[in-house]
Amino acid sequence: MAVCEFGERGRLSGLTDSELLQVAAAARRQTSWAQARELAAIAELARRRGEDDPAVGYRGLSAHEAVVEEVGAALTVTGNAAATLVHLAERLTGPLTETLGALEAGHIDLATARAISDGTENLPDDVVGRVQVAALEKASGQTSGQVRRRIKRLAERLAPQCVEERRREAIRQRRLELWESPAGTADLGLCDLPPEDAHAIYNKISAAARGVRADGDTRSLQCIRADLATQLLNGHPLPDAIQALLAQAPPTAVAAIPDAVGEQGEEHDEVIGELAGMADRQLGQVCDRVPARARSAAVAHAVARIDLRLGARRDTFCRGGDDTHGHPGYRAPAALRREIQVRHSTCVFPTCNQPSHRCDLDHTTPWRPGITCRCNLAPLCRSHHRLKQTRGWKLHQPWPGLLIWVTPAGAWYIVRPDRQ
């Protein structure tokens, strides 16, 4: 609260970059608190209306339907939005009270609360409790997309039959949707298709689009995909050249890369956990010792020192019994590329969800003097690959799979392998 008050609009110009980010984070926590209060009030209203629900005939609305309309009118939102709020409120004051508490405390935001609610829908009560606890354990440091993926893995392991039934039910509700965009255009979407069908459609159109691009079309690949799909849905046949391309294109695997246990197993996980904790503590101590305006340079220097100090141990660990360290060429062999993709299933920027197989395999320390080895490779989407090379940003990999980002404001973000 004090940080937000200090950051009143007219006084923001006097704050450092670090203090501005603290104000933004504090304001976000206040927003989470307000949203938790809103949902608690909605849940209490729904409870009262349910208790007072008289018997109604087919001409009247049920108590639940009526409270949805009442909330919609009071908050000036659509009926669908109001129904979503009422459902979420009832879930967060029912089986997911710990999630409501985390939202009220500002540990998570509304999008994460929704992810937990959606991911535990229709699961057995005991599984809901276990999944909620596991999700909240790391949710404060994850995006809602990362939380969704974690919950999905947990639910598939703890209640596979329920997850499969939920998938089948969603497929039964498959549909074609149309909506207008603020730009004056329209969006068309196929929703809740079986994953194999959706991937097959996307891969075939992508293969055809790449063929058109190879023939000299200067439009972006995304644009060619959209135009090609439009032509196909309007009933136009594919040109003979594109048909040939599709016939020759090898089938693209659609299954996700399975979870793999690295060569070093649990012992390596423990090492990474200890190193991450050590780095976080040391960087925190640096921030406590230096003035705010010197924080950026001090943190960047401290991370570089950590990287340098671990260098000899890292090289010995990676080399194992080999005489040389790393692959001699710039391009990583297929086996090494797959190892990195299994270690990090998405881009290693903390909030990015781009699958690693669609990312660049980046040399953390640029090639020469950097080497092609598991300790110097990580998946970066094109946008965050460029961010890494932007002035003021630093990325270090002091241990294989453990990466530390440093921002221009002197904040740091530690990224661990997926199993962490």
Side-chain angles (χ1 to χ4, degrees):
M1 181 69 75
V3 174
C4 280
E5 290 175 351
F6 179 74
E8 291 175 2
R9 185 174 179 182
R11 304 173 62 184
L12 292 177
S13 60
L15 301 181
T16 65
D17 292 352
S18 176
E19 288 168 341
L20 286 173
L21 291 172
Q22 290 179 46
V23 170
R28 191 167 185 82
R29 289 193 294 271
Q30 286 185 312
T31 300
S32 294
W33 174 85
Q35 289 168 330
R37 292 288 80 204
E38 175 186 341
L39 290 169
I42 290 172
E44 175 62 18
L45 181 66
R47 184 192 65 78
R48 293 180 185 181
R49 294 293 183 268
E51 289 179 350
D52 299 337
D53 187 18
V56 296
Y58 69 93
R59 296 179 182 275
L61 294 179
S62 67
H64 184 272
E65 292 171 322
V67 82
V68 165
E69 299 301 330
E70 191 174 3
V71 168
L75 303 184
T76 319
V77 297
T78 65
N80 286 338
T84 298
L85 284 173
V86 171
H87 179 68
L88 180 61
E90 291 175 334
R91 294 269 295 156
L92 295 188
T93 54
L96 299 175
T97 53
E98 292 181 33
T99 301
L100 181 63
L103 180 65
E104 188 170 15
H107 297 155
I108 62 173
D109 59 12
L110 185 61
T112 299
R114 282 177 170 162
I116 295 173
S117 176
D118 293 344
T120 56
E121 192 81 48
N122 298 324
L123 295 181
D125 291 343
D126 61 324
V127 174
V128 170
R130 293 173 64 186
V131 170
Q132 177 183 223
V133 170
L136 289 175
E137 181 183 356
K138 297 184 177 181
S140 61
Q142 295 181 318
T143 66
S144 58
Q146 291 166 339
V147 171
R148 285 184 187 277
R149 288 200 303 274
R150 178 170 170 79
I151 290 175
K152 182 171 181 269
R153 292 195 298 268
L154 290 167
E156 287 173 346
R157 187 172 75 244
L158 297 175
Q161 293 180 340
C162 293
V163 171
E164 177 59 24
E165 177 54 36
R166 186 168 60 187
R167 187 186 73 87
R168 287 197 295 263
E169 178 58 30
I171 292 173
R172 285 193 285 268
Q173 303 296 325
R174 61 192 179 277
R175 61 209 177 274
L176 177 67
E177 291 189 355
L178 172 67
W179 61 96
E180 295 183 356
S181 73
T185 59
D187 296 336
L188 185 68
L190 291 167
C191 304
D192 286 326
L193 294 183
E196 58 273 17
D197 289 347
H199 280 283
I201 293 169
Y202 184 83
N203 290 337
K204 287 182 178 180
I205 290 179
S206 294
R210 291 191 183 95
V212 173
R213 186 82 181 275
D215 287 341
D217 196 309
T218 59
R219 292 171 296 171
S220 69
L221 193 61
Q222 294 280 27
C223 185
I224 297 174
R225 283 194 192 103
D227 292 346
L228 183 56
T230 301
Q231 293 294 322
L232 292 172
L233 290 172
N234 279 327
H236 298 288
L238 282 170
D240 293 343
I242 299 179
Q243 288 185 5
L245 175 65
L246 288 176
Q248 296 170 5
T252 303
V254 301
I257 297 175
D259 290 336
V261 177
E263 295 177 0
Q264 294 78 22
E266 293 182 1
E267 182 178 350
H268 186 225
D269 290 347
E270 292 178 3
V271 170
I272 288 181
E274 292 175 2
L275 291 175
M278 176 271 293
D280 196 44
R281 288 191 299 273
Q282 289 189 7
L283 295 176
Q285 292 168 0
V286 168
C287 286
D288 292 339
R289 290 197 304 265
V290 300
R293 295 192 180 277
R295 175 178 176 179
S296 179
V299 169
H301 182 63
V303 173
R305 284 206 321 271
I306 292 171
D307 197 352
L308 182 63
R309 192 163 64 249
L310 291 174
R313 290 174 57 194
R314 178 181 63 233
D315 294 348
T316 301
F317 173 81
C318 280
R319 190 166 51 245
D322 298 336
D323 295 331
T324 59
H325 183 189
H327 179 71
Y330 173 81
R331 293 181 62 84
L336 180 56
R337 174 179 288 271
R338 179 172 175 80
E339 178 185 337
I340 302 303
Q341 291 175 345
V342 169
R343 187 177 74 189
H344 294 286
S345 62
T346 64
C347 167
V348 294
F349 190 74
T351 60
C352 187
N353 293 317
Q354 184 71 261
S356 58
H357 66 269
R358 296 181 185 171
C359 294
D360 300 331
L361 191 58
D362 173 64
H363 288 76
T364 309
T365 299
W367 167 249
R368 291 183 178 175
I371 60 176
T372 302
C373 177
R374 63 172 63 88
C375 66
N376 193 46
L377 293 172
L380 282 176
C381 71
R382 187 57 53 87
S383 175
H384 292 123
H385 195 164
R386 294 173 61 196
L387 179 69
K388 174 199 167 193
Q389 301 174 69
T390 302
R391 180 183 177 188
W393 288 85
K394 305 291 183 184
L395 177 61
H396 294 266
Q397 188 168 182
W399 197 262
L402 178 67
L403 295 104
I404 305 177
W405 286 88
V406 181
T407 76
W412 67 90
Y413 299 94
I414 298 176
V415 179
R416 310 181 189 189
D418 287 347
R419 286 185 297 148
Q420 292 278 311

